[in-house]
């Protein structure tokens, strides 16, 4: 099988522990592109946080961001798809989280808003390298549908508890999955990496069997299941590995390069 589309998660997949694309991975990706393969990024990150990596790789394709809630082209920044969280559900989640003192990120128009400055948002921006605005009461602030919401907690059990609660309460409206152990990502049910990747492949005339997707976390599972070849990095969650067709090396050992060499460059 000749592969034509490669979708790469960023954190803990393409990026190493310093949130950098290694030179080996850059070289392999450029060689795949020269061979005619379309390479895109599929991440939970904001578009503005994803764009610098796309520019490093000289990508000129639609980028799947916010777990699939926003797809925009890398070079012209044309919006292809936007599927935000329903406003009523968003307001209810704000109430449920804030009454117990939990931290929440709100994403509107590719901007990040929080109630107040605290260690949770400082943790997030240390990874995502984006600015944020403290706006006080989020319920009073929110007037339009947010692209995405992210709960952040240092307690993994708290993340699991709200994951179960929101998944059951909003099972027909929202997609709720952890990314990192301390991030709980909330998007529209129609906004997932797998659905966005399928739409991109269809627009390019690429068959499912011609797609490779590589990831590490729960939000990557439907993308891996959609792709003709779903790949988990060695450092992936066990549930993600079970959903994958192939396990590559870890993110710090250039697992992306291994896949490109084995399945694209041969």
């Amino acid at each position: 099988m000749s592969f034509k589309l490669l979708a790469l998660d960023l954190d803990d997949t393409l990026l190493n522990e310093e949130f950098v694309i290694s030179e080996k991975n850059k070289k392999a990706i450029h060689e795949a592109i020269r061979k005619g393969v379309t390479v895109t990024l599929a991440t939970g990150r904001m578009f503005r946080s994803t764009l610098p990596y796309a520019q490093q790789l000289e990508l000129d394709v639609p980028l799947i961001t916010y777990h699939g809630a926003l797809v925009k082209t890398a070079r012209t920044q044309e919006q292809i798809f936007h599927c935000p969280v329903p406003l009523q559900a968003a307001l209810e989640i704000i109430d449920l989280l804030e009454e117990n003192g939990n931290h929440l990120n709100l994403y509107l128009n590719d901007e990040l808003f929080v109630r107040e400055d605290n260690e949770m948002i400082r943790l997030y921006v240390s990874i995502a390298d984006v600015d944020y605005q403290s706006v006080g009461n989020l319920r009073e602030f929110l007037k339009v549908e947010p692209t995405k919401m992210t709960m952040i907690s240092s307690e993994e059990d708290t993340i699991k508890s709200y994951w179960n609660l929101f998944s059951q309460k909003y099972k027909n409206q929202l997609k709720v999955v952890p990314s990192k152990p301390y991030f709980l990502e909330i998007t529209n049910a129609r906004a997932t990496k797998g659905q966005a990747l399928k739409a991109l492949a269809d627009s390019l005339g690429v068959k499912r069997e011609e797609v490779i997707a590589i990831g590490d976390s729960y939000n990557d599972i439907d993308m891996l299941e959609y792709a003709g070849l779903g790949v988990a990095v060695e450092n992936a969650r066990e549930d993600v590995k079970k959903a994958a067709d192939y396990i590559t090396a870890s993110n710090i050992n250039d697992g992306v390069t291994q896949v490109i060499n084995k399945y694209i460059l041969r």
Side-chain angles (χ1 to χ4, degrees):
M1 173 59 67
S2 176
F3 293 102
K4 297 180 179 179
L5 176 60
L6 172 62
L8 303 172
D9 172 55
L10 281 178
D11 294 289
D12 300 315
T13 298
L14 177 60
L15 305 184
N16 61 23
E17 70 276 21
E18 296 175 343
F19 308 109
V20 169
I21 305 173
S22 73
E23 289 304 315
K24 283 186 68 174
N25 280 343
K26 285 181 184 177
K27 180 180 178 181
I29 289 168
H30 286 146
E31 289 178 355
I33 293 171
R34 280 194 290 272
K35 194 171 180 181
V37 174
T38 298
V39 179
T40 189
L41 304 177
T43 176
R45 285 180 179 238
M46 303 169 69
F47 179 82
R48 66 169 51 210
S49 179
T50 306
L51 187 58
Y53 295 109
Q55 291 171 336
Q56 287 179 39
L57 297 171
E58 301 176 0
L59 301 183
D60 185 20
V61 296
L63 304 177
I64 297 169
T65 62
Y66 293 97
H67 305 290
L70 179 66
V71 180
K72 291 176 68 173
T73 56
R75 193 155 295 177
T76 63
Q77 299 188 27
E78 176 189 358
Q79 181 172 297
I80 305 298
F81 177 77
H82 183 226
C83 187
V85 176
L87 182 58
Q88 185 57 41
L91 293 172
E92 291 173 5
I93 287 171
I94 289 172
D95 289 341
L96 285 166
L97 290 178
E98 292 203 334
E99 70 183 10
N100 293 311
N102 294 293
H103 177 84
L104 182 67
N105 285 2
L106 279 181
Y107 304 86
L108 298 166
N109 301 318
D110 210 29
E111 300 281 352
L112 172 56
F113 302 94
V114 297
R115 182 184 184 96
E116 61 189 5
D117 183 54
N118 57 36
E119 62 181 343
M120 296 294 101
I121 186 58
R122 289 192 290 272
L123 167 66
Y124 180 85
V125 299
S126 72
I127 296 170
D129 191 26
V130 292
D131 296 329
Y132 63 94
Q133 297 180 48
S134 301
V135 295
N137 188 298
L138 291 179
R139 181 176 240 287
E140 294 180 359
F141 169 76
L142 187 62
K143 304 298 182 184
V144 297
E145 296 177 325
T147 300
K148 186 184 78 163
M149 308 169 78
T150 300
M151 175 190 174
I152 305 177
S153 174
S154 58
E155 301 293 332
E156 193 166 356
D157 286 344
T158 300
I159 292 292
K160 289 179 179 178
S161 175
Y162 280 100
W163 181 16
N164 291 330
L165 173 63
F166 294 154
S167 295
Q168 293 174 18
K169 184 176 176 65
Y170 300 104
K171 62 181 179 181
N172 296 320
Q173 287 183 278
L174 304 177
K175 182 69 173 179
V176 183
V177 291
S179 50
K180 291 181 177 294
Y182 34 85
F183 293 169
L184 185 65
E185 312 283 8
I186 303 164
T187 60
N188 191 297
R190 296 186 294 113
T192 69
K193 291 186 182 184
Q195 292 175 95
L197 181 57
K198 180 183 184 304
L200 176 58
D202 290 346
S203 73
L204 295 172
V206 174
K207 299 176 183 177
R208 177 177 183 176
E209 296 78 19
E210 298 170 325
V211 178
I212 301 177
I214 311 178
D216 74 287
S217 197
Y218 295 106
N219 61 331
D220 296 310
I221 289 177
D222 80 323
M223 176 173 77
L224 270 55
E225 291 176 336
Y226 162 74
L229 179 67
V231 180
V233 286
E234 181 57 41
N235 52 291
R237 298 292 191 102
E238 286 305 313
D239 287 345
V240 182
K241 290 181 179 179
K242 290 176 183 177
D245 302 303
Y246 177 74
I247 311 298
T248 189
S250 71
N251 66 313
I252 62 173
N253 289 311
D254 300 309
V256 168
T257 295
Q258 183 186 106
V259 173
I260 291 174
N261 288 339
K262 182 178 178 67
Y263 290 101
I264 295 176
L265 304 180
R266 303 182 204 262

